[in-house]
Amino acid sequence: MSKNPLFLFGIILCLPPVFSIRPQTSDPCDPITLPDLHTVRSDQMTAIINGYSESRISLLSSIAATYSASPLVASVLVLWGNPSTPTETLTQLSHNLSISSYGNAPISMVRQPSSSLNSRFHPRQSITTRAVLICDDDVEVDSKSVEFAFRVWSANRNRMIGFFARSHDIDLARRAWIYTVHPDKYSIVLTKFMIMNYEYLFKYSCGGGQAMLEARRVVDQMRNCEDILMNFVVAEESRAGPVLVGAQKVRDWGDARNEDRRGLVEDRERKRVREVGLSSRKGYHRKRRGECIREFHRVLGRMPLRYSYGKVVNSVGEQGLCEKGGKLVLCDQQVLN
């Protein structure tokens, strides 16, 4: 074989690319590995998608590719939280993700050492933006809504921004905190889609001393409620509630209220995707999350959650109704005869 260095260089260039799965670093709070907040960019965000079930891989890949195509996304990070998934499966997924990027934002995957939901909020060296988008692997959002949500966050950088809202409340009869939904107010946004300041990742994972350590243990014990705890953290720091944003088109595949058309193979597949989610357990899910709120209140010694009212929308249309063509319609709406 020739020892010509140019010949050897040519062989190296012809080798197929190697796709690796990055492991989770042992200490996410090591200051040496954390990005400098003075140098992170504010004109884009990092999308972090949580993955767990192999039945959702196809949907996860599509969602990751969509975020990668957005000019507002600097990078997409897929966190795989199921330690029992075969390495071969994740290697193939990592390969597919790396070649499915439609834009300039690279897609990479991190295999988590455990299934702890707390790892969704680890500060990471790979995050190069001040805004962080945390999202699930079963929610598809249109690009215009993502852009609008980012604009709202840019004007409210100390607050949490989201599309899905819930609330805490007090059950006077039981004298206990509960998790619920109110039609006119909210205090929690969900990890289905939330945008926050990178600094809150550090405060969640590395700050708060013994009290936050115990609160994170509650998340691990319940295998739930990491989003509620993050809302506690942000409300405590910002002294304000979250901001609910109106979206044009959001498809929530994991919502238990999705209906199936009997007998269709496609709908059986959709049912498998939906049943993976914790929220598919309906009443039990709400009860458990009420327990989380009570435990967080107990271990932290305070209730920082604050109510917000109303929703931010991206257009101001006519509110008045007029009669046109025998129908009551918005006054600026054209009626075709």
Side-chain angles (χ1 to χ4, degrees), residues 92-141:
Q92 184 62 50
L93 173 59
S94 179
H95 168 81
N96 293 341
L97 289 172
S98 66
I99 63 176
S100 64
S101 173
Y102 297 147
N104 295 322
I107 307 174
S108 58
M109 187 173 73
V110 172
R111 183 171 194 170
Q112 308 284 59
S114 74
S115 59
S116 173
L117 293 170
N118 286 311
S119 61
R120 300 187 73 171
F121 298 131
H122 282 175
R124 300 174 188 277
Q125 187 176 19
S126 57
I127 298 175
T128 60
T129 59
R130 186 168 295 277
V132 179
L133 164 60
I134 305 291
C135 52
D136 286 348
D137 61 353
D138 60 352
V139 176
E140 294 179 299
V141 182

Side-chain angles (χ1 to χ4, degrees), residues 278-295:
L278 292 171
S279 59
S280 65
R281 302 167 194 174
K282 298 182 181 179
Y284 174 77
H285 175 68
R286 184 173 294 190
K287 179 180 177 181
R288 292 278 285 178
R289 287 168 73 80
E291 293 176 11
C292 288
I293 292 175
R294 293 191 289 274
E295 280 298 292

Side-chain angles (χ1 to χ4, degrees), residues 182-210:
H182 285 299
D184 57 350
K185 61 182 179 180
Y186 56 93
S187 56
I188 296 167
V189 291
L190 307 182
T191 46
K192 291 173 181 286
F193 183 101
M194 61 165 60
I195 301 177
M196 73 183 76
N197 195 310
Y198 170 82
E199 294 181 44
Y200 292 137
L201 301 182
F202 183 84
K203 292 182 183 297
Y204 180 103
S205 299
C206 313
Q210 186 63 32

Side-chain angles (χ1 to χ4, degrees), residues 18-25 57 77-83 85-98 107-113:
V18 177
F19 303 95
S20 61
I21 304 171
R22 287 190 288 164
Q24 166 71 48
T25 56
I57 282 181
L77 188 60
V78 174
L79 307 181
W80 192 262
N82 187 348
T85 303
T87 299
E88 295 78 9
T89 300
L90 294 185
T91 300
Q92 184 62 50
L93 173 59
S94 179
H95 168 81
N96 293 341
L97 289 172
S98 66
I107 307 174
S108 58
M109 187 173 73
V110 172
R111 183 171 194 170
Q112 308 284 59

Side-chain angles (χ1 to χ4, degrees), residues 25-288:
T25 56
S26 57
D27 182 10
C29 300
D30 185 349
I32 297 178
T33 65
L34 297 178
D36 183 355
L37 293 179
H38 295 95
T39 61
V40 294
R41 44 189 313 174
S42 298
D43 59 336
Q44 288 183 306
M45 57 186 170
T46 302
I48 301 179
I49 308 173
N50 200 55
Y52 185 87
S53 173
E54 293 176 48
S55 66
R56 287 184 176 177
I57 282 181
S58 177
L59 182 57
L60 181 153
S61 300
S62 174
I63 292 171
T66 300
Y67 282 126
S68 173
S70 171
L72 293 175
V73 175
S75 63
V76 179
L77 188 60
V78 174
L79 307 181
W80 192 262
N82 187 348
S84 65
T85 303
T87 299
E88 295 78 9
T89 300
L90 294 185
T91 300
Q92 184 62 50
L93 173 59
S94 179
H95 168 81
N96 293 341
L97 289 172
S98 66
I99 63 176
S100 64
S101 173
Y102 297 147
N104 295 322
I107 307 174
S108 58
M109 187 173 73
V110 172
R111 183 171 194 170
Q112 308 284 59
S114 74
S115 59
S116 173
L117 293 170
N118 286 311
S119 61
R120 300 187 73 171
F121 298 131
H122 282 175
R124 300 174 188 277
Q125 187 176 19
S126 57
I127 298 175
T128 60
T129 59
R130 186 168 295 277
V132 179
L133 164 60
I134 305 291
C135 52
D136 286 348
D137 61 353
D138 60 352
V139 176
E140 294 179 299
V141 182
D142 67 283
S143 59
K144 289 185 178 179
S145 295
V146 173
E147 178 184 352
F148 179 60
F150 180 75
R151 293 208 317 267
V152 174
W153 175 85
S154 296
N156 301 271
R157 296 188 179 186
N158 65 324
R159 300 173 71 180
M160 192 102 76
I161 310 298
F163 292 141
F164 300 87
R166 300 293 186 268
S167 181
H168 74 297
D169 206 342
I170 186 77
D171 184 330
L172 294 177
R174 296 167 48 206
R175 296 184 180 180
W177 296 108
I178 61 172
Y179 175 82
T180 187
V181 178
H182 285 299
D184 57 350
K185 61 182 179 180
Y186 56 93
S187 56
I188 296 167
V189 291
L190 307 182
T191 46
K192 291 173 181 286
F193 183 101
M194 61 165 60
I195 301 177
M196 73 183 76
N197 195 310
Y198 170 82
E199 294 181 44
Y200 292 137
L201 301 182
F202 183 84
K203 292 182 183 297
Y204 180 103
S205 299
C206 313
Q210 186 63 32
M212 271 300 294
L213 177 61
E214 191 172 344
R216 292 192 298 270
R217 285 175 180 161
V218 172
V219 171
D220 286 334
Q221 291 165 1
M222 295 287 194
R223 295 183 58 83
N224 201 328
C225 306
E226 79 285 0
D227 53 348
I228 297 177
L229 183 55
M230 177 56 87
N231 278 271
F232 266 68
V233 170
V234 177
E236 176 74 16
E237 293 294 323
S238 66
R239 298 292 193 270
V243 178
L244 179 63
V245 175
Q248 292 187 17
K249 184 180 180 182
V250 176
R251 180 67 164 98
D252 186 356
W253 294 92
D255 195 306
R257 293 167 293 186
N258 280 295
E259 296 180 353
D260 298 320
R261 291 164 293 176
R262 292 184 179 180
L264 295 184
V265 174
E266 179 183 5
D267 282 301
R268 290 200 295 270
E269 290 299 315
R270 290 177 179 176
K271 186 175 182 180
R272 289 178 57 209
V273 169
R274 184 175 68 248
E275 289 181 343
V276 172
L278 292 171
S279 59
S280 65
R281 302 167 194 174
K282 298 182 181 179
Y284 174 77
H285 175 68
R286 184 173 294 190
K287 179 180 177 181
R288 292 278 285 178

